[in-house]
Amino acid sequence: MKYVKEEGRNIPVRKEVDVLVVGGGPSGITAAMGAKEKDLNVTLIENRSFLGGNMTIGLPVLGFLGQKGNQIIKGLPEKFIQKLREVEGASEHRPCPLHMSITLVEPEAVKNVALEMLLEYGIDVQLYTQFADSIVEDGEIKGVFVESKAGREAILAKVVIDCSGDADVAFRAGVPCGKGNENNGMQPPTLMFCMAGVDTEELRTSIANQSRTYLTDFIPAEYFGQNHQFIVVGLREVMQQARNNGLTLNTERTIIITGLRKGEVWINMSSVHGVDGTKPEDLTHGEVKGRQQIKDIQKYLIEYVPGFKEAYFTKMAPFLGIRETRRIEGQYTMTKEDILGCRRFDDSIAVASYPLDLHHPEDGGCTLTWCGDCYDIPYRSLVPKNVKNLLVAGRAISTTHEAMSAIRVMAPCMAMGEAAGRAAKMAITKNICPSEIPVRELQKELVAHGVYLNQEALINI
């Protein structure tokens, strides 16, 4: 590789704040709200023109309910969903035999409500602002460099919360990180797209009444007879018919998610393997291939799936849905044994229940494994090694490749964001590092604000 030397320059400081949140996705939204106190200055930066992250690409929010049907994600995530419901931007939390629960959201409503809530909280939101590098002195993060139309600037902060999803801040700060499985294979991304004019009643009744023809994965036909808004996963035999007739379909399963608007559905069926979401050339490749794959996916749906005869394409997701990139090495690394063993932790800051959900790096397959109940997410997994005054929330916390496949969905990520935000606030108030905060006090504050924790943790606090 060739290099070009850049002469040293003085970088202007745009802001000095108490808490800086990098990334305005699901975890970043709740992290910023959790960190906000009357006397604390909280800034959130986001490189796009809107907030919401993966909640804006047509996906349902998974994970609010546990495998026993009880609600396990509450607090600020629930408050956000309630605000969405006020503008008809979210459904109720619906039990799902495959995903435990689904909460349908309207992407445009997410963008508006997220911005409105953060501004109401008094949070300084900086859009169109790209994280560029971490500022670290003597093993302590002091802030970040950003790039924008204004050029290169610095934002200094007492505590930084990395909600980038890719551990960008942590990685640039020198935190050791891992990627993918033992062969560095990462779960493939998906480019979501939306179709309208779908007769969802014909779709659901066809599956309910002709289950042998339209067989779904794990979801019984009765589910479709009872639910007017739903998620379809399966139809493998129908897909094989389409392949036999010359169509190219890169996944094993049809995934259709009904929208909140009548006749609207989101399709989760493109799959581009070998994409490293931390490399722009790979992201470009994924975008190009995803758009190419969607042509045959549309033909398949219109010609082979009931209810799609009059359907038409309306919009593409604004960016690729990335399932996996970097994971930090933290004070504790969650494992698949923790997930499947329903592990409880003394420093629990959230309870999750979503199964191990591995989209195979090598092919179009997917493997799901359920634990039967719930498991804890420990605070130590949000605290990275080597760098002080930095926290990480979302799918980039300290886990193994397998465990990440369970905690990566949006409801647990929002719960982690709230915990990280409240921890940052506590660290500043007490003038200590986030790694030094009394976790029992953090747990008390979480519970006081409606967060659900396991009974063992409640007894200890």
Side-chain angles (χ1 to χ4, degrees):
M1 179 178 290
K2 287 185 177 180
Y3 293 89
V4 176
K5 186 175 182 179
E6 184 181 31
E7 292 185 7
R9 52 180 173 162
N10 292 322
I11 306 300
V13 176
R14 183 194 290 190
K15 294 181 70 70
E16 293 187 55
V17 301
D18 293 306
V19 179
L20 174 65
V21 179
V22 178
S27 64
I29 293 167
T30 52
M33 291 193 291
K36 183 60 181 172
E37 277 285 344
K38 184 177 180 181
D39 297 327
L40 291 186
N41 296 315
V42 178
T43 290
L44 180 147
I45 64 170
E46 167 58 48
N47 64 345
R48 299 185 175 96
S49 63
F50 56 87
L51 302 175
N54 278 352
M55 211 181 289
T56 68
I57 68 174
L59 290 168
V61 180
L62 305 180
F64 270 97
L65 304 182
Q67 292 179 33
K68 293 187 176 180
N70 57 319
Q71 185 168 343
I72 56 172
I73 303 292
K74 297 183 180 180
L76 288 174
E78 176 62 20
K79 187 173 183 178
F80 183 73
I81 295 297
Q82 288 174 358
K83 285 287 187 180
L84 282 173
R85 290 191 187 120
E86 291 176 8
V87 294
E88 298 183 346
S91 71
E92 70 275 15
H93 307 309
R94 295 175 176 163
C96 175
L98 184 63
H99 301 99
M100 305 306 100
S101 73
I102 61 172
T103 308
L104 303 176
V105 293
E106 168 53 43
E108 295 304 319
V110 168
K111 297 175 186 179
N112 292 334
V113 170
L115 185 57
E116 289 167 5
M117 286 188 74
L118 292 194
L119 294 180
E120 286 172 6
Y121 268 70
I123 293 156
D124 174 50
V125 177
Q126 300 281 316
L127 302 174
Y128 299 100
T129 302
Q130 174 74 49
F131 165 79
D133 208 348
S134 298
I135 304 170
V136 180
E137 296 178 8
D138 299 323
E140 180 178 336
I141 193 162
K142 297 293 185 178
V144 304
F145 291 116
V146 297
E147 292 278 357
S148 69
K149 293 290 186 180
R152 193 173 183 88
E153 299 172 299
I155 300 177
L156 305 181
K158 295 175 183 176
V159 176
V160 178
I161 307 176
D162 184 346
C163 295
S164 65
D166 302 313
D168 287 335
V169 182
F171 177 72
R172 293 292 186 92
V175 175
C177 295
K179 279 188 197 175
N181 59 18
E182 63 277 7
N183 299 317
N184 296 319
M186 285 173 275
Q187 297 188 68
T190 291
L191 183 60
M192 301 281 293
F193 69 99
C194 182
M195 298 184 76
V198 179
D199 188 340
T200 56
E201 285 299 292
E202 180 185 350
L203 174 61
R204 77 175 188 89
T205 55
S206 295
I207 295 173
N209 299 329
Q210 304 174 59
S211 57
R212 290 187 177 181
T213 301
Y214 303 109
L215 183 63
T216 56
D217 293 6
F218 299 100
I219 304 178
E222 294 78 17
Y223 168 84
F224 297 96
Q226 300 165 0
N227 293 277
H228 293 270
Q229 291 175 322
F230 48 85
I231 182 169
V232 175
V233 180
L235 311 190
R236 296 171 186 257
E237 292 79 4
V238 180
M239 291 180 72
Q240 189 56 53
Q241 293 175 22
R243 288 193 186 94
N244 293 342
N245 291 329
L247 293 182
T248 300
L249 302 173
N250 293 78
T251 58
E252 293 181 349
R253 310 175 301 169
T254 300
I255 304 180
I256 302 166
I257 305 153
T258 58
L260 291 175
R261 297 172 180 169
K262 184 177 180 182
E264 187 174 88
V265 300
W266 286 89
I267 309 300
N268 181 354
M269 289 182 64
S270 67
S271 181
V272 186
H273 294 84
V275 170
D276 182 338
T278 65
K279 297 179 179 179
E281 62 270 28
D282 281 21
L283 290 170
T284 302
H285 170 73
E287 189 81 27
V288 171
K289 287 295 183 181
R291 289 173 182 268
Q292 291 173 347
Q293 291 177 11
I294 285 169
K295 295 177 183 178
D296 273 12
I297 294 170
Q298 288 184 69
K299 289 180 182 178
Y300 154 69
L301 293 168
I302 292 170
E303 295 177 10
Y304 292 87
V305 178
F308 279 82
K309 186 177 180 181
E310 305 297 327
Y312 54 93
F313 172 88
T314 58
K315 53 194 168 187
M316 199 84 72
F319 54 88
L320 276 172
I322 302 295
R323 293 185 173 91
E324 178 178 16
T325 53
R326 302 187 191 99
R327 308 179 310 275
I328 65 161
E329 289 185 21
Q331 292 185 347
Y332 180 83
T333 299
M334 289 187 68
T335 67
K336 68 177 181 181
E337 288 77 18
D338 293 334
I339 306 292
L340 297 180
C342 299
R343 178 83 182 272
R344 302 302 189 196
F345 293 95
D346 290 340
D347 62 337
S348 167
I349 47 81
V351 176
S353 188
Y354 193 72
L356 299 176
D357 181 2
L358 279 166
H359 291 247
H360 301 167
E362 297 81 15
D363 56 48
C366 180
T367 304
L368 287 95
T369 311
W370 295 264
C371 69
D373 198 355
C374 303
Y375 47 87
D376 288 351
I377 297 175
Y379 178 67
R380 288 168 293 160
S381 292
L382 280 62
V383 181
K385 291 181 178 179
N386 297 357
V387 178
K388 295 179 180 178
N389 291 335
L390 175 65
L391 289 168
V392 178
R395 61 177 166 84
I397 69 166
S398 184
T399 65
T400 62
H401 167 70
E402 294 82 6
M404 192 281 303
S405 73
I407 58 89
R408 65 183 170 83
V409 294
M410 286 186 275
C413 287
M414 294 179 82
M416 289 182 245
E418 177 173 2
R422 297 195 185 282
K425 175 179 62 180
M426 185 175 293
I428 292 170
T429 302
K430 293 180 177 292
N431 195 27
I432 57 177
C433 293
S435 59
E436 299 169 341
I437 67 165
V439 177
R440 291 285 180 267
E441 289 188 29
L442 174 60
Q443 291 171 327
K444 285 181 181 179
E445 175 163 348
L446 290 169
V447 171
H449 286 87
V451 170
Y452 178 94
L453 294 180
N454 69 67
Q455 291 301 313
E456 292 92 328
L458 291 175
I459 292 172
N460 289 330
I461 64 172

